[in-house]
Amino acid sequence: MSVSENRNIAIVGVGSSMSKSLAIWLASLGWNIALVSRSGKSLSAIADEVRRAQKGKDCKVIYRAADAGDPEILKATLDWCVQELGDKLDVLSYNAARVAPSDITETTPEDLEQDFKVSAVGTLVAGQWFANGNARVDRIVEGEWPLFLITGGILDKEPEPIMASLSCVKAASQTLSRLFAKALPERANILVGMPLITGALVNPTTGEYNQEFHPDRIIPKLFKPFFEDRENRRDGKQGWTVERLY
């Protein structure tokens, strides 16, 4: 199966690995892409890389620095993405999280609260915003559904004491994602996908990518099937796979 060109995506929580690789792949297909992250400096460099991968010069690559942990800022930023791209979104990808060690015996309430806002509250706000008239649903008659894509892992089932805060907030975020997966297809004609990565992208000892979990390997094997399958819904939402593991 192939993935159509000239579609719109906003990616929230863009870093130097998974989301960047996703954006570069979609740019090579001629997608219009909005990149959102806390750091404007790193976003500028990532946007340049994405533009170099563009298939067509008329495709848009825009970016904006924003705090996904602030609901009003997140909603305003997503409104800006739609306005700048010139149309509703075909896909909204939410990948915002603070990935850092936090020992369960030392994690502060303040750290946990802030991480919860970014990972869990942000997932809630993004999903509700997408369902509130911001998803492109006019191609459903042709079998193409909009997609809310939330990146995750297995920390919700196998929490790590040295990643205490991330384990807690990812459990909340993925519960919200599963709830959206039950509600959004019926209420908003939106499919929900959860690409779940079962290993560490980076070796903590060397700081280098684990080759098995390199983003360039994960995107075609884990993410691409969601993009292919959302366009081939001859039976509507029936048979849709919400969770895929790599």
Side-chain angles (χ1 to χ4, degrees):
M1 292 185 289
S2 60
V3 176
S4 294
E5 302 177 4
N6 193 29
R7 300 295 191 262
N8 291 347
I9 185 172
I11 305 175
V12 180
V14 178
S16 61
S17 57
M18 198 64 60
S19 290
K20 183 180 77 171
S21 293
L22 175 62
I24 288 173
W25 170 59
L26 292 173
S28 74
L29 299 179
W31 279 50
N32 302 303
I33 303 168
L35 306 171
V36 179
S37 184
R38 184 187 295 269
S39 171
K41 184 177 180 180
S42 62
L43 266 179
S44 177
I46 291 171
D48 287 341
E49 287 190 63
V50 175
R51 290 190 186 102
R52 287 195 291 271
Q54 282 180 288
K55 180 178 182 179
K57 297 303 180 183
D58 293 333
C59 301
K60 296 180 179 178
V61 177
I62 61 173
Y63 67 92
R64 184 165 179 167
D67 180 4
D70 185 312
E72 294 308 314
I73 289 176
L74 178 56
K75 286 186 286 185
T77 300
L78 291 171
D79 286 340
W80 175 84
C81 292
V82 168
Q83 181 179 355
E84 292 297 311
L85 293 178
D87 204 347
K88 297 178 181 181
L89 300 181
D90 297 281
V91 179
L92 173 59
S93 175
Y94 196 83
N95 187 44
R98 184 179 71 94
V99 181
S102 56
D103 192 291
I104 187 61
T105 62
E106 300 175 358
T107 299
T108 67
E110 292 77 16
D111 286 343
L112 182 61
E113 181 180 19
Q114 185 57 44
D115 289 345
F116 188 86
K117 289 178 180 178
V118 174
S119 290
V121 176
T123 298
L124 176 68
V125 171
Q128 291 177 346
W129 174 89
F130 198 33
N132 190 27
N134 293 297
R136 184 164 185 172
V137 297
D138 58 349
R139 292 194 177 104
I140 287 178
V141 293
E142 303 166 11
E144 180 179 339
W145 286 56
L147 170 64
F148 183 35
L149 195 69
I150 311 100
T151 307
I154 56 173
L155 286 175
D156 62 323
K157 297 181 178 66
E158 300 177 16
E160 293 286 347
I162 61 170
M163 301 293 286
S165 185
L166 185 63
S167 296
C168 292
V169 300
K170 277 298 186 180
S173 172
Q174 288 174 215
T175 296
L176 286 162
S177 302
R178 293 176 181 119
L179 291 171
F180 275 134
K182 292 181 178 182
L184 294 190
E186 294 289 347
R187 300 184 189 181
N189 291 321
I190 294 172
L191 298 173
V192 175
M194 299 171 62
L196 304 177
I197 302 162
T198 61
L201 272 64
V202 177
N203 185 315
T205 302
T206 65
E208 298 180 352
Y209 279 117
N210 290 321
Q211 286 306 306
E212 182 182 357
F213 292 98
H214 194 286
D216 291 345
R217 292 172 60 95
I218 293 175
I219 294 301
K221 293 184 178 181
L222 181 61
F223 284 72
K224 185 179 178 182
F226 284 110
F227 286 81
E228 293 174 329
D229 200 16
R230 78 171 194 92
E231 296 189 37
N232 293 276
R233 311 308 307 154
R234 295 180 179 86
D235 298 321
K237 66 180 185 299
Q238 299 302 317
W240 171 257
T241 300
V242 174
E243 300 185 34
R244 299 176 189 265
L245 279 76
Y246 177 93

